[in-house]
Amino acid sequence: MSILLKGATIVDNKSNLNFKIKDILIKDGVIVDIADNIKTKSKNIIDLKNLHVSRGWMDTSVSFGEPGYEERETISNGLETAASSGFTSILLNPNCDPIIDNHSSIEFLKRKSIDTTTQIYPIGSLTNNSNGKDLAPLYDMKIAGAVAYGDYKQSINDSSLLKIALEYTKTFGGRIISFSQDEFLSENGVINEGIVSTQLGLKGVPPISESISIFRDIEILEYSNGKVHIPYVNTKKGVDLIRDAKKRNLDITSSVSLAHITLSDKDIIDFNTNLKLNPPLRDNSDIQALKEGIIDGTIDFVTSMHEPINDDFKKVVFDDAIPGTIALECVFGLLCNNFTLEKTIDILTRKKDVFEIEDCPIEIGSKADLTIFNPEVNYVFSENHILSSSNNCAYLDKNLKGIVYGAINNNKVTLNKLWT
């Protein structure tokens, strides 16, 4: 298949073509020419208003539903949503039924994205059936294609288990995902502990529930000399601890969710269950610290933390609602509201090698792993912009800057039907 991108502004701070306008010709999934004006007989010409192109985007935490919870999201529609939102690589969480905790279940997920624009990189469960007690066959899952291991949003309460896991995975370069939230301090909490929780009469989760856990994880990491990833960092203290650990040259990476840099606990004024998240939304001082951590590299990734939940589990009282929000469709527009375009693209494309994902440059002879977009369109996000099967979105009525035209990868093209 031949594809021609016409007059595309290249956004790639690793390239000497950064912010230059070029035609890009792709044949059979490979970039074969980059020039000012390319003529071709190809029928697949992408010539869109204010077309921009970057390396393909990555998201380190995406949940669908299949297998087991197809009513939330099928893998097929989830991958279509991800590609339409600009993501060519996603780390897929193991929170389905059955739990992704063995070789065959990892292979199942990998097969689902063999011929799709968006590639699945599975996260294997750290323990059998995420029971928090018995290590799953981690190396066997790595052979099948797992890129990291963690019990989705479950703290590793057993410090010895974390130590053993870090030491074991060190033998084959594996990375442990440790959800840092003290189970006892956060028990029954549904919102950040503070003024808002008191005003609403809701049980809070104190910020120390994160920092205590991160401190412990760092101590065990330093002792074991393994690799750990801290997902969904949400407090200033957490950022400070990770910054210090990186200064000590420990192999620690971290992510923050889109929600935790764009929303605060003050937004939960009407008990909107779409804003019930785990970990909970924090206050403005935490948001500022998280943004600073992204800019200086303390926090490595921003994730959508995409979690489809069907209406039956959201249209209930706040205490009883399942936490989670869909977010893939909103990532680019919200990041552009908070960072420069160049920083936004850097955030979406940085450090793929941490999870052993190929980072394909925009140059002749390279695999075409690309995202196409227009950063100048302003709009209000509404239900009409939702591509996911579920509608639990915390960002409805938010002002977004920038639209995604789609993605090119795997010799496939997915165009966002809303904008093309």
Side-chain angles (χ1 to χ4, degrees), residues 255-310:
S255 69
V256 62
S257 86
L258 181 69
H260 288 97
I261 58 171
T262 59
L263 299 168
S264 78
D265 56 355
K266 291 181 179 178
D267 291 304
I268 312 174
I269 55 175
D270 57 355
F271 297 93
N272 180 356
T273 57
N274 287 334
L275 274 70
K276 183 182 179 182
L277 306 177
N278 184 28
L281 298 172
R282 299 295 184 181
D283 65 26
N284 289 326
S285 63
D286 295 310
I287 292 174
Q288 185 59 39
L290 292 165
K291 287 181 179 179
E292 291 172 1
I294 294 166
I295 291 170
D296 69 21
T298 299
I299 296 176
D300 302 274
F301 309 103
V302 175
T303 172
S304 65
M305 201 170 71
H306 183 80
E307 295 175 284
I309 305 292
N310 50 309

Short mmCIF file of all heavy atoms in Angstrom, two decimals, residues 255-310:
data_model
loop_
_atom_site.label_atom_id
_atom_site.label_comp_id
_atom_site.label_asym_id
_atom_site.label_seq_id
_atom_site.Cartn_x
_atom_site.Cartn_y
_atom_site.Cartn_z
N SER A 255 4.55 7.41 36.08
CA SER A 255 3.57 8.06 35.21
C SER A 255 2.59 8.84 36.06
O SER A 255 2.44 8.59 37.26
CB SER A 255 2.82 7.02 34.37
OG SER A 255 1.96 6.23 35.19
N VAL A 256 1.93 9.77 35.42
CA VAL A 256 0.81 10.49 36.03
C VAL A 256 -0.35 10.40 35.07
O VAL A 256 -0.16 10.34 33.85
CB VAL A 256 1.19 11.97 36.31
CG1 VAL A 256 1.50 12.71 35.02
CG2 VAL A 256 0.04 12.69 37.04
N SER A 257 -1.55 10.33 35.60
CA SER A 257 -2.71 10.25 34.72
C SER A 257 -3.10 11.64 34.24
O SER A 257 -2.81 12.65 34.89
CB SER A 257 -3.91 9.60 35.44
OG SER A 257 -4.65 10.56 36.16
N LEU A 258 -3.77 11.67 33.09
CA LEU A 258 -4.27 12.92 32.53
C LEU A 258 -5.15 13.64 33.54
O LEU A 258 -5.08 14.87 33.70
CB LEU A 258 -5.06 12.62 31.27
CG LEU A 258 -5.67 13.80 30.51
CD1 LEU A 258 -4.58 14.64 29.87
CD2 LEU A 258 -6.66 13.30 29.45
N ALA A 259 -5.97 12.89 34.26
CA ALA A 259 -6.90 13.49 35.22
C ALA A 259 -6.18 14.23 36.33
O ALA A 259 -6.63 15.30 36.77
CB ALA A 259 -7.79 12.40 35.82
N HIS A 260 -5.05 13.70 36.77
CA HIS A 260 -4.38 14.27 37.94
C HIS A 260 -3.58 15.53 37.62
O HIS A 260 -3.06 16.18 38.54
CB HIS A 260 -3.50 13.22 38.60
CG HIS A 260 -4.29 12.16 39.31
ND1 HIS A 260 -4.58 10.95 38.73
CD2 HIS A 260 -4.89 12.16 40.53
CE1 HIS A 260 -5.32 10.23 39.57
NE2 HIS A 260 -5.52 10.95 40.67
N ILE A 261 -3.50 15.90 36.34
CA ILE A 261 -2.88 17.19 36.00
C ILE A 261 -3.89 18.17 35.41
O ILE A 261 -3.53 19.31 35.10
CB ILE A 261 -1.69 17.02 35.03
CG1 ILE A 261 -2.12 16.34 33.74
CG2 ILE A 261 -0.54 16.27 35.70
CD1 ILE A 261 -1.05 16.33 32.65
N THR A 262 -5.14 17.74 35.26
CA THR A 262 -6.14 18.63 34.66
C THR A 262 -7.37 18.82 35.54
O THR A 262 -8.17 19.73 35.29
CB THR A 262 -6.61 18.09 33.30
OG1 THR A 262 -7.17 16.78 33.47
CG2 THR A 262 -5.45 18.02 32.31
N LEU A 263 -7.55 17.99 36.57
CA LEU A 263 -8.71 18.08 37.45
C LEU A 263 -8.26 18.03 38.90
O LEU A 263 -7.22 17.46 39.22
CB LEU A 263 -9.68 16.92 37.19
CG LEU A 263 -10.28 16.79 35.79
CD1 LEU A 263 -10.96 15.44 35.63
CD2 LEU A 263 -11.26 17.92 35.51
N SER A 264 -9.06 18.64 39.79
CA SER A 264 -8.76 18.58 41.22
C SER A 264 -9.99 18.11 41.98
O SER A 264 -11.10 18.01 41.42
CB SER A 264 -8.32 19.95 41.73
OG SER A 264 -9.43 20.80 41.92
N ASP A 265 -9.81 17.86 43.28
CA ASP A 265 -10.95 17.43 44.09
C ASP A 265 -12.04 18.49 44.15
O ASP A 265 -13.22 18.17 44.37
CB ASP A 265 -10.49 17.03 45.50
CG ASP A 265 -9.73 18.13 46.22
OD1 ASP A 265 -9.45 19.20 45.61
OD2 ASP A 265 -9.38 17.93 47.41
N LYS A 266 -11.70 19.75 43.89
CA LYS A 266 -12.71 20.81 43.90
C LYS A 266 -13.71 20.68 42.75
O LYS A 266 -14.78 21.29 42.78
CB LYS A 266 -12.04 22.17 43.84
CG LYS A 266 -11.27 22.53 45.11
CD LYS A 266 -10.65 23.90 45.02
CE LYS A 266 -9.90 24.25 46.30
NZ LYS A 266 -9.24 25.56 46.23
N ASP A 267 -13.36 19.90 41.73
CA ASP A 267 -14.28 19.68 40.61
C ASP A 267 -15.43 18.75 41.00
O ASP A 267 -16.44 18.68 40.29
CB ASP A 267 -13.53 19.10 39.41
CG ASP A 267 -12.58 20.11 38.78
OD1 ASP A 267 -13.05 21.19 38.40
OD2 ASP A 267 -11.37 19.83 38.69
N ILE A 268 -15.29 18.05 42.12
CA ILE A 268 -16.34 17.09 42.53
C ILE A 268 -17.35 17.81 43.41
O ILE A 268 -17.50 17.52 44.60
CB ILE A 268 -15.71 15.89 43.27
CG1 ILE A 268 -14.51 15.34 42.50
CG2 ILE A 268 -16.74 14.77 43.45
CD1 ILE A 268 -13.76 14.24 43.23
N ILE A 269 -18.02 18.77 42.83
CA ILE A 269 -18.96 19.57 43.63
C ILE A 269 -20.38 19.05 43.55
O ILE A 269 -21.22 19.39 44.37
CB ILE A 269 -18.93 21.05 43.19
CG1 ILE A 269 -19.20 21.17 41.69
CG2 ILE A 269 -17.60 21.69 43.55
CD1 ILE A 269 -19.31 22.59 41.19
N ASP A 270 -20.68 18.21 42.57
CA ASP A 270 -22.05 17.72 42.41
C ASP A 270 -22.11 16.19 42.46
O ASP A 270 -23.01 15.58 41.91
CB ASP A 270 -22.65 18.22 41.09
CG ASP A 270 -21.82 17.82 39.88
OD1 ASP A 270 -20.73 17.23 40.08
OD2 ASP A 270 -22.25 18.07 38.75
N PHE A 271 -21.11 15.59 43.09
CA PHE A 271 -21.05 14.13 43.25
C PHE A 271 -21.07 13.42 41.90
O PHE A 271 -21.64 12.34 41.77
CB PHE A 271 -22.20 13.63 44.13
CG PHE A 271 -22.15 14.15 45.55
CD1 PHE A 271 -22.84 15.30 45.91
CD2 PHE A 271 -21.41 13.50 46.51
CE1 PHE A 271 -22.81 15.79 47.21
CE2 PHE A 271 -21.36 13.98 47.82
CZ PHE A 271 -22.05 15.12 48.17
N ASN A 272 -20.43 14.01 40.90
CA ASN A 272 -20.34 13.41 39.57
C ASN A 272 -19.47 12.16 39.65
O ASN A 272 -18.26 12.23 39.87
CB ASN A 272 -19.74 14.42 38.59
CG ASN A 272 -19.63 13.86 37.18
OD1 ASN A 272 -19.93 12.70 36.92
ND2 ASN A 272 -19.17 14.70 36.25
N THR A 273 -20.07 10.99 39.48
CA THR A 273 -19.33 9.74 39.65
C THR A 273 -18.28 9.51 38.57
O THR A 273 -17.39 8.68 38.74
CB THR A 273 -20.30 8.54 39.67
OG1 THR A 273 -21.08 8.53 38.47
CG2 THR A 273 -21.19 8.60 40.88
N ASN A 274 -18.37 10.24 37.46
CA ASN A 274 -17.31 10.14 36.44
C ASN A 274 -15.99 10.70 36.95
O ASN A 274 -14.93 10.43 36.38
CB ASN A 274 -17.72 10.86 35.16
CG ASN A 274 -18.78 10.09 34.39
OD1 ASN A 274 -18.89 8.87 34.49
ND2 ASN A 274 -19.58 10.81 33.61
N LEU A 275 -16.06 11.50 38.02
CA LEU A 275 -14.86 12.05 38.62
C LEU A 275 -14.38 11.23 39.82
O LEU A 275 -13.44 11.61 40.51
CB LEU A 275 -15.06 13.50 39.04
CG LEU A 275 -14.82 14.55 37.95
CD1 LEU A 275 -15.90 14.48 36.89
CD2 LEU A 275 -14.75 15.96 38.52
N LYS A 276 -15.06 10.12 40.07
CA LYS A 276 -14.56 9.20 41.09
C LYS A 276 -13.47 8.34 40.45
O LYS A 276 -13.75 7.52 39.58
CB LYS A 276 -15.66 8.31 41.65
CG LYS A 276 -15.15 7.41 42.77
CD LYS A 276 -16.21 6.47 43.31
CE LYS A 276 -15.64 5.58 44.40
NZ LYS A 276 -16.63 4.62 44.92
N LEU A 277 -12.24 8.56 40.89
CA LEU A 277 -11.09 7.88 40.31
C LEU A 277 -10.26 7.22 41.40
O LEU A 277 -10.34 7.58 42.57
CB LEU A 277 -10.22 8.88 39.54
CG LEU A 277 -10.92 9.71 38.46
CD1 LEU A 277 -9.94 10.70 37.85
CD2 LEU A 277 -11.50 8.82 37.37
N ASN A 278 -9.46 6.29 40.98
CA ASN A 278 -8.51 5.64 41.88
C ASN A 278 -7.15 5.63 41.21
O ASN A 278 -6.99 4.98 40.17
CB ASN A 278 -8.95 4.22 42.20
CG ASN A 278 -8.04 3.55 43.22
OD1 ASN A 278 -7.42 4.20 44.04
ND2 ASN A 278 -7.93 2.23 43.14
N PRO A 279 -6.14 6.34 41.78
CA PRO A 279 -6.19 7.14 43.00
C PRO A 279 -7.08 8.38 42.82
O PRO A 279 -7.36 8.78 41.69
CB PRO A 279 -4.72 7.52 43.22
CG PRO A 279 -4.09 7.42 41.88
CD PRO A 279 -4.80 6.33 41.16
N PRO A 280 -7.47 9.00 43.94
CA PRO A 280 -8.41 10.13 43.86
C PRO A 280 -7.74 11.40 43.35
O PRO A 280 -6.52 11.56 43.43
CB PRO A 280 -8.86 10.30 45.32
CG PRO A 280 -7.68 9.83 46.12
CD PRO A 280 -7.11 8.68 45.35
N LEU A 281 -8.57 12.30 42.84
CA LEU A 281 -8.08 13.62 42.44
C LEU A 281 -7.57 14.36 43.67
O LEU A 281 -8.18 14.32 44.74
CB LEU A 281 -9.20 14.42 41.77
CG LEU A 281 -9.78 13.82 40.48
CD1 LEU A 281 -11.00 14.61 40.04
CD2 LEU A 281 -8.72 13.78 39.39
N ARG A 282 -6.45 15.06 43.52
CA ARG A 282 -5.84 15.77 44.64
C ARG A 282 -6.09 17.28 44.52
O ARG A 282 -6.95 17.72 43.77
CB ARG A 282 -4.35 15.45 44.69
CG ARG A 282 -4.03 13.98 44.90
CD ARG A 282 -4.49 13.46 46.24
NE ARG A 282 -4.11 12.07 46.47
CZ ARG A 282 -4.41 11.38 47.55
NH1 ARG A 282 -5.11 11.94 48.52
NH2 ARG A 282 -4.03 10.12 47.67
N ASP A 283 -5.30 18.09 45.25
CA ASP A 283 -5.54 19.54 45.24
C ASP A 283 -4.58 20.25 44.30
O ASP A 283 -3.72 19.63 43.66
CB ASP A 283 -5.49 20.12 46.65
CG ASP A 283 -4.11 20.02 47.30
OD1 ASP A 283 -3.09 19.97 46.57
OD2 ASP A 283 -4.04 20.01 48.54
N ASN A 284 -4.71 21.55 44.19
CA ASN A 284 -3.96 22.32 43.20
C ASN A 284 -2.46 22.31 43.43
O ASN A 284 -1.67 22.39 42.48
CB ASN A 284 -4.47 23.77 43.16
CG ASN A 284 -5.85 23.87 42.54
OD1 ASN A 284 -6.18 23.12 41.63
ND2 ASN A 284 -6.68 24.79 43.02
N SER A 285 -2.02 22.23 44.69
CA SER A 285 -0.58 22.18 44.95
C SER A 285 0.02 20.89 44.40
O SER A 285 1.16 20.87 43.89
CB SER A 285 -0.30 22.29 46.45
OG SER A 285 -0.85 21.21 47.16
N ASP A 286 -0.72 19.80 44.48
CA ASP A 286 -0.26 18.54 43.90
C ASP A 286 -0.21 18.63 42.38
O ASP A 286 0.74 18.16 41.75
CB ASP A 286 -1.18 17.39 44.33
CG ASP A 286 -1.13 17.12 45.82
OD1 ASP A 286 -0.01 16.98 46.36
OD2 ASP A 286 -2.19 17.07 46.46
N ILE A 287 -1.24 19.24 41.78
CA ILE A 287 -1.27 19.39 40.33
C ILE A 287 -0.05 20.15 39.83
O ILE A 287 0.60 19.75 38.86
CB ILE A 287 -2.56 20.11 39.89
CG1 ILE A 287 -3.79 19.24 40.15
CG2 ILE A 287 -2.50 20.48 38.40
CD1 ILE A 287 -5.11 19.93 39.88
N GLN A 288 0.31 21.24 40.51
CA GLN A 288 1.46 22.02 40.11
C GLN A 288 2.74 21.22 40.21
O GLN A 288 3.60 21.26 39.32
CB GLN A 288 1.57 23.28 40.98
CG GLN A 288 2.68 24.24 40.57
CD GLN A 288 2.54 24.72 39.14
OE1 GLN A 288 1.45 24.99 38.66
NE2 GLN A 288 3.68 24.83 38.44
N ALA A 289 2.89 20.45 41.29
CA ALA A 289 4.09 19.62 41.47
C ALA A 289 4.18 18.54 40.40
O ALA A 289 5.27 18.23 39.90
CB ALA A 289 4.08 19.00 42.86
N LEU A 290 3.04 17.97 40.03
CA LEU A 290 3.02 16.94 39.00
C LEU A 290 3.43 17.50 37.64
O LEU A 290 4.21 16.88 36.91
CB LEU A 290 1.63 16.32 38.92
CG LEU A 290 1.20 15.48 40.13
CD1 LEU A 290 -0.30 15.22 40.11
CD2 LEU A 290 1.97 14.16 40.18
N LYS A 291 2.93 18.68 37.32
CA LYS A 291 3.31 19.31 36.04
C LYS A 291 4.81 19.62 36.01
O LYS A 291 5.48 19.42 34.99
CB LYS A 291 2.50 20.59 35.83
CG LYS A 291 1.04 20.36 35.48
CD LYS A 291 0.32 21.68 35.25
CE LYS A 291 -1.12 21.47 34.88
NZ LYS A 291 -1.83 22.76 34.67
N GLU A 292 5.33 20.12 37.12
CA GLU A 292 6.76 20.40 37.19
C GLU A 292 7.57 19.10 37.03
O GLU A 292 8.62 19.10 36.39
CB GLU A 292 7.09 21.07 38.51
CG GLU A 292 6.54 22.50 38.62
CD GLU A 292 6.70 23.09 40.01
OE1 GLU A 292 7.25 22.39 40.90
OE2 GLU A 292 6.26 24.24 40.22
N GLY A 293 7.04 18.02 37.60
CA GLY A 293 7.71 16.74 37.47
C GLY A 293 7.73 16.23 36.04
O GLY A 293 8.71 15.61 35.59
N ILE A 294 6.67 16.49 35.30
CA ILE A 294 6.63 16.11 33.87
C ILE A 294 7.67 16.91 33.10
O ILE A 294 8.43 16.37 32.28
CB ILE A 294 5.24 16.36 33.29
CG1 ILE A 294 4.21 15.44 33.94
CG2 ILE A 294 5.24 16.16 31.77
CD1 ILE A 294 2.78 15.84 33.66
N ILE A 295 7.72 18.20 33.35
CA ILE A 295 8.62 19.08 32.59
C ILE A 295 10.07 18.76 32.86
O ILE A 295 10.91 18.72 31.93
CB ILE A 295 8.31 20.56 32.93
CG1 ILE A 295 6.94 20.94 32.37
CG2 ILE A 295 9.39 21.48 32.36
CD1 ILE A 295 6.42 22.29 32.84
N ASP A 296 10.44 18.48 34.12
CA ASP A 296 11.86 18.23 34.42
C ASP A 296 12.25 16.76 34.27
O ASP A 296 13.41 16.40 34.47
CB ASP A 296 12.24 18.76 35.80
CG ASP A 296 11.61 17.99 36.97
OD1 ASP A 296 11.20 16.83 36.78
OD2 ASP A 296 11.55 18.56 38.09
N GLY A 297 11.29 15.90 33.90
CA GLY A 297 11.61 14.51 33.62
C GLY A 297 11.51 13.58 34.82
O GLY A 297 11.75 12.38 34.68
N THR A 298 11.17 14.12 35.98
CA THR A 298 10.96 13.25 37.14
C THR A 298 9.87 12.24 36.85
O THR A 298 9.99 11.05 37.14
CB THR A 298 10.59 14.08 38.38
OG1 THR A 298 11.66 14.97 38.69
CG2 THR A 298 10.33 13.17 39.58
N ILE A 299 8.77 12.72 36.28
CA ILE A 299 7.69 11.85 35.83
C ILE A 299 7.91 11.58 34.34
O ILE A 299 8.00 12.51 33.54
CB ILE A 299 6.32 12.48 36.08
CG1 ILE A 299 6.09 12.63 37.59
CG2 ILE A 299 5.21 11.65 35.45
CD1 ILE A 299 4.81 13.33 37.96
N ASP A 300 7.99 10.32 33.99
CA ASP A 300 8.38 9.94 32.64
C ASP A 300 7.22 9.97 31.65
O ASP A 300 7.42 10.29 30.47
CB ASP A 300 8.98 8.53 32.66
CG ASP A 300 10.17 8.43 33.58
OD1 ASP A 300 11.29 8.74 33.15
OD2 ASP A 300 9.99 8.07 34.77
N PHE A 301 6.02 9.62 32.10
CA PHE A 301 4.91 9.44 31.17
C PHE A 301 3.63 10.09 31.69
O PHE A 301 3.40 10.15 32.90
CB PHE A 301 4.63 7.94 30.96
CG PHE A 301 5.84 7.14 30.60
CD1 PHE A 301 6.46 6.34 31.56
CD2 PHE A 301 6.38 7.17 29.33
CE1 PHE A 301 7.58 5.58 31.25
CE2 PHE A 301 7.50 6.43 29.00
CZ PHE A 301 8.10 5.63 29.96
N VAL A 302 2.80 10.54 30.76
CA VAL A 302 1.41 10.91 31.06
C VAL A 302 0.53 9.86 30.40
O VAL A 302 0.65 9.59 29.20
CB VAL A 302 1.05 12.31 30.53
CG1 VAL A 302 -0.43 12.59 30.74
CG2 VAL A 302 1.90 13.37 31.20
N THR A 303 -0.34 9.25 31.18
CA THR A 303 -1.24 8.22 30.66
C THR A 303 -2.69 8.69 30.68
O THR A 303 -3.09 9.47 31.55
CB THR A 303 -1.11 6.92 31.47
OG1 THR A 303 -2.14 6.00 31.04
CG2 THR A 303 -1.28 7.16 32.96
N SER A 304 -3.46 8.18 29.76
CA SER A 304 -4.90 8.46 29.76
C SER A 304 -5.58 7.83 30.97
O SER A 304 -6.59 8.31 31.43
CB SER A 304 -5.56 7.92 28.49
OG SER A 304 -5.49 6.50 28.45
N MET A 305 -5.00 6.73 31.49
CA MET A 305 -5.65 5.92 32.53
C MET A 305 -7.09 5.60 32.09
O MET A 305 -8.05 5.67 32.85
CB MET A 305 -5.64 6.61 33.89
CG MET A 305 -5.82 5.67 35.07
SD MET A 305 -5.51 6.43 36.68
CE MET A 305 -6.93 7.52 36.84
N HIS A 306 -7.21 5.21 30.83
CA HIS A 306 -8.49 4.95 30.18
C HIS A 306 -9.15 3.73 30.81
O HIS A 306 -8.61 2.63 30.80
CB HIS A 306 -8.22 4.70 28.69
CG HIS A 306 -9.43 4.48 27.85
ND1 HIS A 306 -10.21 5.52 27.39
CD2 HIS A 306 -9.99 3.34 27.35
CE1 HIS A 306 -11.18 5.03 26.64
NE2 HIS A 306 -11.08 3.72 26.60
N GLU A 307 -10.34 3.92 31.39
CA GLU A 307 -11.05 2.85 32.09
C GLU A 307 -12.54 2.89 31.75
O GLU A 307 -13.32 3.57 32.43
CB GLU A 307 -10.87 2.97 33.60
CG GLU A 307 -9.45 2.78 34.09
CD GLU A 307 -9.34 3.04 35.59
OE1 GLU A 307 -9.35 4.21 36.00
OE2 GLU A 307 -9.24 2.06 36.34
N PRO A 308 -12.97 2.19 30.71
CA PRO A 308 -14.40 2.15 30.40
C PRO A 308 -15.18 1.42 31.50
O PRO A 308 -14.79 0.34 31.94
CB PRO A 308 -14.45 1.36 29.08
CG PRO A 308 -13.05 1.36 28.56
CD PRO A 308 -12.17 1.41 29.76
N ILE A 309 -16.27 2.03 31.93
CA ILE A 309 -17.18 1.44 32.92
C ILE A 309 -18.60 1.65 32.41
O ILE A 309 -18.98 2.77 32.07
CB ILE A 309 -17.04 2.11 34.31
CG1 ILE A 309 -15.58 2.06 34.80
CG2 ILE A 309 -17.98 1.45 35.31
CD1 ILE A 309 -15.06 0.69 35.12
N ASN A 310 -19.40 0.59 32.36
CA ASN A 310 -20.76 0.76 31.85
C ASN A 310 -21.64 1.52 32.84
O ASN A 310 -21.37 1.58 34.05
CB ASN A 310 -21.38 -0.58 31.47
CG ASN A 310 -21.27 -1.63 32.54
OD1 ASN A 310 -20.20 -1.88 33.06
ND2 ASN A 310 -22.39 -2.25 32.89
#
